[in-house]
Short mmCIF file of all heavy atoms in Angstrom, two decimals:
data_model
loop_
_atom_site.label_atom_id
_atom_site.label_comp_id
_atom_site.label_asym_id
_atom_site.label_seq_id
_atom_site.Cartn_x
_atom_site.Cartn_y
_atom_site.Cartn_z
N ASP V 873 16.22 14.96 2.88
CA ASP V 873 15.06 14.34 3.57
C ASP V 873 14.11 13.61 2.58
O ASP V 873 13.60 12.41 2.94
CB ASP V 873 14.22 15.46 4.38
CG ASP V 873 13.30 14.87 5.36
OD1 ASP V 873 13.67 13.77 5.99
OD2 ASP V 873 12.36 15.45 5.62
N THR V 874 13.93 14.18 1.38
CA THR V 874 13.12 13.55 0.33
C THR V 874 13.79 12.24 -0.12
O THR V 874 12.98 11.25 -0.28
CB THR V 874 12.86 14.52 -0.78
OG1 THR V 874 12.26 15.70 -0.33
CG2 THR V 874 12.05 13.85 -1.85
N VAL V 875 15.02 12.25 -0.33
CA VAL V 875 15.75 11.04 -0.89
C VAL V 875 15.60 9.92 0.19
O VAL V 875 15.50 8.71 -0.13
CB VAL V 875 17.14 11.38 -1.16
CG1 VAL V 875 17.96 10.13 -1.42
CG2 VAL V 875 17.16 12.19 -2.40
N VAL V 876 15.76 10.11 1.46
CA VAL V 876 15.60 9.14 2.51
C VAL V 876 14.25 8.51 2.33
O VAL V 876 14.17 7.21 2.42
CB VAL V 876 15.86 9.74 3.85
CG1 VAL V 876 15.46 8.78 5.01
CG2 VAL V 876 17.26 10.15 4.03
N ILE V 877 13.20 9.23 2.21
CA ILE V 877 11.81 8.66 2.09
C ILE V 877 11.68 7.96 0.89
O ILE V 877 11.07 6.81 0.80
CB ILE V 877 10.71 9.77 2.30
CG1 ILE V 877 10.84 10.42 3.68
CG2 ILE V 877 9.28 9.14 2.08
CD1 ILE V 877 9.92 11.58 3.88
N TYR V 878 12.22 8.54 -0.24
CA TYR V 878 12.08 7.79 -1.60
C TYR V 878 12.90 6.49 -1.62
O TYR V 878 12.37 5.62 -2.27
CB TYR V 878 12.73 8.80 -2.75
CG TYR V 878 11.74 9.82 -3.16
CD1 TYR V 878 10.44 9.91 -2.66
CD2 TYR V 878 12.05 10.67 -4.15
CE1 TYR V 878 9.50 10.91 -3.14
CE2 TYR V 878 11.18 11.64 -4.67
CZ TYR V 878 9.86 11.77 -4.19
OH TYR V 878 9.09 12.66 -4.67
N ASP V 879 13.97 6.45 -0.93
CA ASP V 879 14.72 5.22 -0.88
C ASP V 879 13.88 4.08 -0.21
O ASP V 879 13.90 2.99 -0.56
CB ASP V 879 16.09 5.44 -0.16
CG ASP V 879 17.06 4.29 -0.44
OD1 ASP V 879 17.36 3.96 -1.58
OD2 ASP V 879 17.46 3.61 0.65
N ARG V 880 13.28 4.45 0.93
CA ARG V 880 12.36 3.43 1.54
C ARG V 880 11.17 3.09 0.71
O ARG V 880 10.82 1.94 0.69
CB ARG V 880 11.92 4.12 2.81
CG ARG V 880 11.13 3.09 3.70
CD ARG V 880 11.83 1.71 3.92
NE ARG V 880 13.05 1.92 4.62
CZ ARG V 880 13.11 1.83 5.95
NH1 ARG V 880 12.08 1.52 6.70
NH2 ARG V 880 14.34 2.00 6.55
N ILE V 881 10.62 4.09 -0.01
CA ILE V 881 9.49 3.80 -0.94
C ILE V 881 9.94 2.84 -2.06
O ILE V 881 9.29 1.84 -2.34
CB ILE V 881 8.98 5.13 -1.63
CG1 ILE V 881 8.28 5.93 -0.52
CG2 ILE V 881 8.06 4.76 -2.75
CD1 ILE V 881 7.93 7.32 -1.15
N ARG V 882 11.06 2.99 -2.57
CA ARG V 882 11.67 2.13 -3.59
C ARG V 882 11.91 0.64 -2.99
O ARG V 882 11.55 -0.24 -3.74
CB ARG V 882 12.93 2.70 -4.26
CG ARG V 882 13.52 1.84 -5.34
CD ARG V 882 14.72 2.44 -6.01
NE ARG V 882 15.85 2.57 -5.07
CZ ARG V 882 17.00 2.98 -5.26
NH1 ARG V 882 17.33 3.29 -6.51
NH2 ARG V 882 17.99 3.10 -4.33
N GLU V 883 12.37 0.58 -1.83
CA GLU V 883 12.56 -0.69 -1.21
C GLU V 883 11.23 -1.45 -1.02
O GLU V 883 11.21 -2.64 -1.33
CB GLU V 883 13.31 -0.45 0.12
CG GLU V 883 13.49 -1.81 0.94
CD GLU V 883 14.04 -1.48 2.25
OE1 GLU V 883 14.56 -0.33 2.46
OE2 GLU V 883 13.98 -2.39 3.06
N LEU V 884 10.23 -0.67 -0.55
CA LEU V 884 8.91 -1.34 -0.33
C LEU V 884 8.21 -1.65 -1.64
O LEU V 884 7.45 -2.64 -1.70
CB LEU V 884 8.02 -0.50 0.45
CG LEU V 884 8.56 -0.14 1.92
CD1 LEU V 884 7.48 0.50 2.74
CD2 LEU V 884 8.94 -1.58 2.69
N LEU V 885 8.46 -0.90 -2.75
CA LEU V 885 7.91 -1.19 -3.98
C LEU V 885 8.40 -2.59 -4.52
O LEU V 885 7.59 -3.38 -5.12
CB LEU V 885 8.30 -0.08 -5.01
CG LEU V 885 7.46 1.14 -4.91
CD1 LEU V 885 8.01 2.22 -5.90
CD2 LEU V 885 6.03 0.96 -5.36
N ARG V 886 9.63 -2.87 -4.17
CA ARG V 886 10.21 -4.19 -4.69
C ARG V 886 9.72 -5.39 -3.76
O ARG V 886 9.50 -6.48 -4.20
CB ARG V 886 11.74 -4.15 -4.56
CG ARG V 886 12.33 -3.18 -5.57
CD ARG V 886 13.78 -3.09 -5.34
NE ARG V 886 14.47 -2.22 -6.30
CZ ARG V 886 15.69 -1.82 -6.19
NH1 ARG V 886 16.46 -2.14 -5.17
NH2 ARG V 886 16.22 -0.94 -7.07
N ARG V 887 9.38 -5.01 -2.46
CA ARG V 887 9.03 -6.05 -1.63
C ARG V 887 7.53 -6.44 -1.69
O ARG V 887 7.12 -7.56 -1.65
CB ARG V 887 9.36 -5.68 -0.13
CG ARG V 887 9.09 -6.69 0.86
CD ARG V 887 9.46 -6.27 2.29
NE ARG V 887 10.82 -5.85 2.33
CZ ARG V 887 11.45 -5.33 3.48
NH1 ARG V 887 10.67 -5.13 4.50
NH2 ARG V 887 12.64 -5.10 3.42
N TYR V 888 6.66 -5.38 -1.66
CA TYR V 888 5.25 -5.51 -1.61
C TYR V 888 4.71 -5.17 -3.07
O TYR V 888 4.44 -4.05 -3.37
CB TYR V 888 4.53 -4.69 -0.60
CG TYR V 888 5.15 -4.98 0.76
CD1 TYR V 888 6.00 -4.02 1.39
CD2 TYR V 888 4.86 -6.13 1.44
CE1 TYR V 888 6.44 -4.36 2.63
CE2 TYR V 888 5.23 -6.41 2.73
CZ TYR V 888 6.19 -5.46 3.28
OH TYR V 888 6.73 -5.77 4.54
N LYS V 889 4.43 -6.26 -3.85
CA LYS V 889 3.97 -5.98 -5.31
C LYS V 889 2.62 -5.50 -5.38
O LYS V 889 2.31 -4.76 -6.35
CB LYS V 889 4.20 -7.34 -6.03
CG LYS V 889 5.63 -7.84 -5.98
CD LYS V 889 6.55 -6.80 -6.68
CE LYS V 889 7.98 -7.52 -6.71
NZ LYS V 889 9.06 -6.59 -7.40
N ARG V 890 1.73 -5.88 -4.50
CA ARG V 890 0.35 -5.49 -4.70
C ARG V 890 -0.37 -4.69 -3.57
O ARG V 890 -1.48 -4.60 -3.42
CB ARG V 890 -0.51 -6.78 -4.85
CG ARG V 890 -0.15 -7.62 -6.05
CD ARG V 890 -1.05 -8.81 -6.38
NE ARG V 890 -0.62 -9.57 -7.52
CZ ARG V 890 -1.24 -10.64 -7.92
NH1 ARG V 890 -2.17 -11.16 -7.24
NH2 ARG V 890 -0.75 -11.23 -8.90
N MET V 891 0.55 -4.16 -2.73
CA MET V 891 0.07 -3.25 -1.65
C MET V 891 -0.38 -1.96 -2.33
O MET V 891 0.28 -1.43 -3.08
CB MET V 891 1.19 -3.01 -0.62
CG MET V 891 0.83 -1.86 0.37
SD MET V 891 2.09 -1.51 1.55
CE MET V 891 2.31 -3.08 2.55
N PRO V 892 -1.61 -1.43 -1.96
CA PRO V 892 -1.97 -0.16 -2.48
C PRO V 892 -1.04 0.96 -2.27
O PRO V 892 -0.34 0.99 -1.22
CB PRO V 892 -3.33 0.14 -1.80
CG PRO V 892 -3.76 -1.29 -1.25
CD PRO V 892 -2.52 -1.98 -1.05
N MET V 893 -0.83 1.79 -3.33
CA MET V 893 0.25 2.85 -3.22
C MET V 893 0.04 3.78 -2.00
O MET V 893 1.10 4.11 -1.34
CB MET V 893 0.17 3.66 -4.55
CG MET V 893 1.45 4.42 -4.70
SD MET V 893 2.92 3.36 -4.89
CE MET V 893 4.24 4.63 -4.81
N PRO V 894 -1.14 4.25 -1.66
CA PRO V 894 -1.26 5.09 -0.36
C PRO V 894 -0.71 4.36 0.81
O PRO V 894 -0.09 4.96 1.66
CB PRO V 894 -2.70 5.42 -0.37
CG PRO V 894 -3.20 5.29 -1.78
CD PRO V 894 -2.42 4.21 -2.38
N ASP V 895 -1.08 3.09 1.06
CA ASP V 895 -0.64 2.36 2.17
C ASP V 895 0.92 2.17 2.18
O ASP V 895 1.60 2.24 3.22
CB ASP V 895 -1.26 0.91 2.23
CG ASP V 895 -2.81 0.98 2.37
OD1 ASP V 895 -3.22 2.09 2.89
OD2 ASP V 895 -3.48 0.06 2.05
N LEU V 896 1.38 2.00 0.93
CA LEU V 896 2.98 1.81 0.85
C LEU V 896 3.64 3.15 1.16
O LEU V 896 4.64 3.13 1.96
CB LEU V 896 3.24 1.43 -0.54
CG LEU V 896 4.72 0.98 -0.79
CD1 LEU V 896 4.88 -0.18 -1.69
CD2 LEU V 896 5.53 2.11 -1.38
N LEU V 897 3.13 4.26 0.80
CA LEU V 897 3.66 5.57 1.15
C LEU V 897 3.53 5.82 2.58
O LEU V 897 4.43 6.37 3.18
CB LEU V 897 2.96 6.64 0.26
CG LEU V 897 3.22 6.58 -1.24
CD1 LEU V 897 2.41 7.76 -1.86
CD2 LEU V 897 4.66 6.68 -1.63
N ASN V 898 2.49 5.58 3.19
CA ASN V 898 2.29 5.77 4.68
C ASN V 898 3.29 4.79 5.33
O ASN V 898 3.93 5.34 6.39
CB ASN V 898 0.87 5.27 5.03
CG ASN V 898 -0.11 6.33 4.79
OD1 ASN V 898 0.15 7.59 4.80
ND2 ASN V 898 -1.26 5.96 4.48
N ALA V 899 3.56 3.63 4.91
CA ALA V 899 4.38 2.72 5.65
C ALA V 899 5.94 3.27 5.51
O ALA V 899 6.68 3.28 6.50
CB ALA V 899 4.41 1.36 4.99
N SER V 900 6.24 3.77 4.41
CA SER V 900 7.58 4.33 4.19
C SER V 900 7.89 5.68 5.00
O SER V 900 8.91 5.74 5.70
CB SER V 900 7.75 4.80 2.60
OG SER V 900 7.53 3.73 1.81
N ILE V 901 6.78 6.51 5.12
CA ILE V 901 6.99 7.73 5.87
C ILE V 901 7.04 7.41 7.43
O ILE V 901 7.95 7.98 8.13
CB ILE V 901 5.86 8.72 5.73
CG1 ILE V 901 5.89 9.14 4.18
CG2 ILE V 901 5.90 9.82 6.56
CD1 ILE V 901 4.58 9.97 3.74
N ASN V 902 6.23 6.44 7.86
CA ASN V 902 6.21 6.01 9.24
C ASN V 902 7.58 5.43 9.62
O ASN V 902 8.03 5.56 10.77
CB ASN V 902 5.11 5.09 9.49
CG ASN V 902 3.73 5.81 9.74
OD1 ASN V 902 3.54 6.54 10.67
ND2 ASN V 902 2.83 5.66 8.78
#
């Protein structure tokens, strides 16, 4: 379950370079 969320986090880290980290984590979990 953690790896699934981490994989989405890594994907969004490459896509959104300046999105605040809390917002990016929320987007990945949702």
Side-chain angles (χ1 to χ4, degrees):
D873 197 29
T874 302
V875 166
V876 169
I877 298 177
Y878 276 4
D879 193 60
R880 182 55 61 93
I881 292 173
R882 184 176 60 173
E883 177 185 346
L884 295 186
L885 282 172
R886 295 172 178 173
R887 183 182 303 177
Y888 303 108
K889 302 294 185 180
R890 296 186 181 178
M891 178 184 289
M893 197 61 188
D895 295 340
L896 189 143
L897 295 177
N898 282 326
S900 302
I901 297 173
N902 282 293

